Amino acid sequence: MIDMPMISSSGAVRDISSMVRKLKPGYEIEMKTFKKDRGIEIVKMDDGTLSINEFGFRTAEYHISADDFDRLFKDIYQREFPRSHEIRYSIRRKR
C-alpha cells in the first residue's frame, strides 16, 4: 500500500489547481478522503486537455480544457469532500 500525503482542506482547491497547471501529460493527481471511499482523479492528456473522474457521492467523468478546470473542480471538490478536514493525494504516471 502506498502512503499518500495529506493536505489541509482549506487550501486544497488552490494547491491542487496549482499542481494541475504544472502537471505533465500522462500524469495524474488522485485525491481521496481519509477513509478512501470517495475521491477525484485528474489526468492530463497528451493534447493538454484534462480528464476528471469523480467517484463517491456521484460517479462521473468529465473531459475539459485546462481553462475550464478551476470552476468545475471547485464544484466537484465541494460535492465530494463536504466535511473533510484533510485530503489524501498522490501524483503519479497514469497506469
Side-chain angles (χ1 to χ4, degrees):
M1 183 172 107
I2 297 173
D3 187 29
M4 299 172 76
M6 299 189 79
I7 56 174
S8 170
S9 184
S10 62
V13 171
R14 180 191 66 238
D15 294 345
I16 297 296
S17 293
S18 175
M19 289 179 200
V20 166
R21 282 191 283 280
K22 298 174 189 174
L23 199 62
K24 295 176 185 173
Y27 282 79
E28 71 177 355
I29 298 175
E30 181 180 43
M31 293 166 287
K32 291 186 177 182
T33 60
F34 180 77
K35 295 191 313 185
K36 299 180 184 175
D37 59 343
R38 297 187 311 274
I40 304 169
E41 286 181 347
I42 304 163
V43 181
K44 190 161 197 177
M45 306 305 237
D46 292 331
D47 61 0
T49 61
L50 300 169
S51 173
I52 303 174
N53 297 316
E54 171 184 6
F55 53 94
F57 287 121
R58 182 185 294 174
T59 301
E61 185 171 343
Y62 307 93
H63 297 281
I64 59 169
S65 69
D67 297 335
D68 299 330
F69 173 75
D70 288 335
R71 183 187 53 77
L72 179 61
F73 176 64
K74 188 173 183 180
D75 291 342
I76 295 171
Y77 183 87
Q78 290 173 347
R79 181 171 46 244
E80 291 300 332
F81 306 113
R83 296 174 302 278
S84 298
H85 296 286
E86 290 188 317
I87 305 299
R88 296 179 187 275
Y89 78 97
S90 69
I91 301 173
R92 63 176 182 246
R93 192 172 222 357
K94 180 68 177 160
R95 298 178 229 139

